[in-house]
């Protein structure tokens, strides 16, 4: 049973904590917050996690709020076999110094740059690269979504070139100060966007170019992929079959009432998921089409949750708990109820 610390208990951190708690070979030894908000209270009173504070000078604020704390982040990581760092982007470099000082392994999220660790992680594409490593970074939600489907189809189509348009949510549902209100915002207003290079950190040989824009929604991201392929004998049905067989991917039918991101989120509720999360990448069946040497499809990404199972697999890889990526994927999926 490995001890896992969650540094940062926000949108991703609280989901990673619950995913760790669901596994039978690892446990949560603590989570951290910098403010005594409802998430801090919930972590202690509803989840039963030991709570550590990221800013020691705010200890009195937690006491005034009646929220019990177990110590500081430094105290927490001293008890851990590994830390999953879910703090806001750009705090990573400072935290890395702390992790190195304490001699603890750490996993970062996609908000940090690849250069911070020199190693990025995806369960399907490069699990072995992080096996036994001290530090790695789980790629972003969009990169995770792209990698899952591209890695699945590459063996049968022999990808020549990928072009993808990323339609991104303006903000997460709980963020009230960010995002476009009545606008479509090129993000960034240049081509390529950072998503293509990020895919290459886990699929190094792939030729991919991306562009992205923000739209006024909080629910999900949506991707539109146009792929040049070398295998012109492949059929649309072959692509559908491969995607249907791949866990953490689901082929959905717009004609069955799943034609939008809003309906996909309703479907997650029907599945009875914790926080209504959709860990899988939905691909619209009707969009999958092979025309000559080109393949087209559209998919969605639940930005709050798709990277969570990857973080669990990264823990197993780095702590050398499981050398076979598919066995780790299967174990994580079973514990989290992932299709």
């Amino acid at each position: 049973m490995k001890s896992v610390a969650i540094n940062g208990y926000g949108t991703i951190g609280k989901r990673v904590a619950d995913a760790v708690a669901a596994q039978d070979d690892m446990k949560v030894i603590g989570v951290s917050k910098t403010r005594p908000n409802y998430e801090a209270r919930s972590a202690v009173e509803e989840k039963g996690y030991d709570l550590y504070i990221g800013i020691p000078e705010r200890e009195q604020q937690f006491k005034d709020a009646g929220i019990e704390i177990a110590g500081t982040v430094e105290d927490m990581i001293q008890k851990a076999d590994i830390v999953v760092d879910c703090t806001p982007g750009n705090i990573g470099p400072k935290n890395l110094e702390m992790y190195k000082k304490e001699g603890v392994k750490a996993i970062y999220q996609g908000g940090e740059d690849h250069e911070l660790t020199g190693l990025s992680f995806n369960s399907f594409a490069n699990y072995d690269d992080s096996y036994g490593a001290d530090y790695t970074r789980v790629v972003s939600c969009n990169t995770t979504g792209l990698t899952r489907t591209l890695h699945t189809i590459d063996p049968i189509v022999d990808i020549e070139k990928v072009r993808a348009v990323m339609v991104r949510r303006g903000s997460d549902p709980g963020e009230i100060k960010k995002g476009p209100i009545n606008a479509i915002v090129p993000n960034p207003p240049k081509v390529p966007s950072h998503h293509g290079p990020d895919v290459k950190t886990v699929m190094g040989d792939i030729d991919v170019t991306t562009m992205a824009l923000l739209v006024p929604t909080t629910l999900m991201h949506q991707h539109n992929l146009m792929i040049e392929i070398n295998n012109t004998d492949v059929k649309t049905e072959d692509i559908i079959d491969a995607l249907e067989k791949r866990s953490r991917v689901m082929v959905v039918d717009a004609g069955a009432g799943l034609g939008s991101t809003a309906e996909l989120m309703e479907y997650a509720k029907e599945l009875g998921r914790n926080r209504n999360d959709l860990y899988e990448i939905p691909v619209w069946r009707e969009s999958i089409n092979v025309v000559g040497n080109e393949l087209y499809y559209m998919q969605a990404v639940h930005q709050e949750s798709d990277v969570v199972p990857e973080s669990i697999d990264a823990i197993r890889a780095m702590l050398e708990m499981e050398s076979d990526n598919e066995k780790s994927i299967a174990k994580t999926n079973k514990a989290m109820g992932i299709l």
Side-chain angles (χ1 to χ4, degrees):
M1 184 75 70
K2 298 297 184 179
S3 297
V4 183
I6 315 297
N7 192 8
Y9 192 76
T11 298
I12 299 298
K14 60 189 177 185
R15 288 171 164 84
V16 171
D18 288 353
V20 168
Q23 310 302 311
D24 63 9
D25 55 355
M26 57 186 77
K27 62 181 179 180
V28 177
I29 56 94
V31 303
S32 77
K33 289 294 291 182
T34 59
R35 295 182 296 119
N37 62 5
Y38 76 95
E39 289 173 325
R41 186 177 301 280
S42 174
V44 175
E45 298 180 0
E46 298 176 19
K47 300 293 184 177
Y49 299 140
D50 286 342
L51 180 68
Y52 296 81
I53 55 174
I55 302 176
E57 294 77 14
R58 294 182 180 175
E59 179 178 356
Q60 189 61 46
Q61 295 181 22
F62 285 81
K63 290 182 178 180
D64 292 344
I67 299 175
E68 182 180 355
I69 61 172
T72 65
V73 167
E74 287 84 352
D75 298 326
M76 176 178 70
I77 66 175
Q78 288 173 2
K79 303 176 182 179
D81 294 308
I82 194 166
V83 180
V84 183
D85 189 301
C86 301
T87 59
N90 301 319
I91 297 178
K94 180 180 178 181
N95 286 346
L96 185 58
E97 294 177 8
M98 176 175 59
Y99 302 146
K100 287 182 176 180
K101 179 181 177 182
E102 297 297 337
V104 64
K105 298 189 176 200
I107 298 168
Y108 284 92
Q109 301 301 307
E112 299 292 350
D113 293 334
H114 171 77
E115 288 71 24
L116 178 65
T117 61
L119 186 61
S120 291
F121 179 89
N122 177 267
S123 301
F124 298 160
N126 70 333
Y127 182 97
D128 292 346
D129 290 351
S130 293
Y131 191 77
D134 290 331
Y135 309 104
T136 197
R137 161 187 170 268
V138 172
V139 292
S140 73
C141 54
N142 280 304
T143 303
T144 296
L146 288 171
T147 303
R148 281 197 197 154
T149 54
L150 291 173
H151 187 266
T152 299
I153 64 174
D154 189 30
I156 60 175
V157 302
D158 187 13
I159 293 173
E160 175 69 22
K161 168 78 175 180
V162 179
R163 297 177 180 87
V165 179
M166 332 291 290
V167 182
R168 304 178 59 212
R169 60 91 178 100
S171 184
D172 283 339
E175 296 177 340
I176 61 173
K177 296 181 180 179
K178 294 164 58 176
I181 301 301
N182 189 25
I184 298 173
V185 182
N187 184 255
K190 64 178 182 178
V191 179
S193 68
H194 72 274
H195 304 92
D198 204 30
V199 173
K200 291 177 72 67
T201 65
V202 291
M203 293 182 67
D205 295 332
I206 195 166
D207 186 354
V208 54
T209 300
T210 56
M211 61 180 69
L213 56 148
L214 293 174
V215 295
T217 182
T218 65
L219 295 176
M220 303 180 80
H221 302 302
Q222 191 264 348
H223 300 167
N224 305 282
L225 289 99
M226 297 145 279
I227 305 169
E228 294 179 20
I229 61 178
N230 289 310
N231 181 6
T232 56
D233 293 328
V234 70
K235 307 297 183 186
T236 298
E237 293 74 18
D238 300 325
I239 306 299
I240 293 173
D241 183 61
L243 293 172
E244 287 183 328
K245 290 178 178 177
R246 177 66 270 178
S247 69
R248 300 187 189 171
V249 174
M250 58 169 62
V251 178
V252 298
D253 295 279
L258 295 175
S260 70
T261 55
E263 290 160 321
L264 288 172
M265 285 289 90
E266 284 298 307
Y267 179 53
K269 295 177 185 178
E270 294 301 315
L271 292 174
R273 294 290 178 77
N274 187 26
R275 300 188 180 88
N276 304 322
D277 287 337
L278 195 62
Y279 307 108
E280 301 87 349
I281 303 302
V283 182
W284 280 283
R285 185 187 305 272
E286 292 91 336
S287 73
I288 304 170
N289 194 18
V290 177
V291 181
N293 71 331
E294 294 183 312
L295 163 64
Y296 306 93
Y297 63 90
M298 294 186 284
Q299 65 183 32
V301 171
H302 186 219
Q303 75 283 353
E304 298 175 278
S305 68
D306 74 317
V307 299
V308 174
E310 313 295 317
S311 293
I312 303 303
D313 294 330
I315 292 170
R316 289 205 183 92
M318 293 174 66
L319 295 180
E320 301 181 28
M321 300 166 67
E322 176 55 67
S323 60
D324 187 316
N325 72 314
E326 289 293 347
K327 288 183 179 179
S328 179
I329 290 168
K331 189 174 181 65
T332 300
N333 289 353
K334 182 178 181 180
M336 296 179 64
I338 297 174
L339 302 176

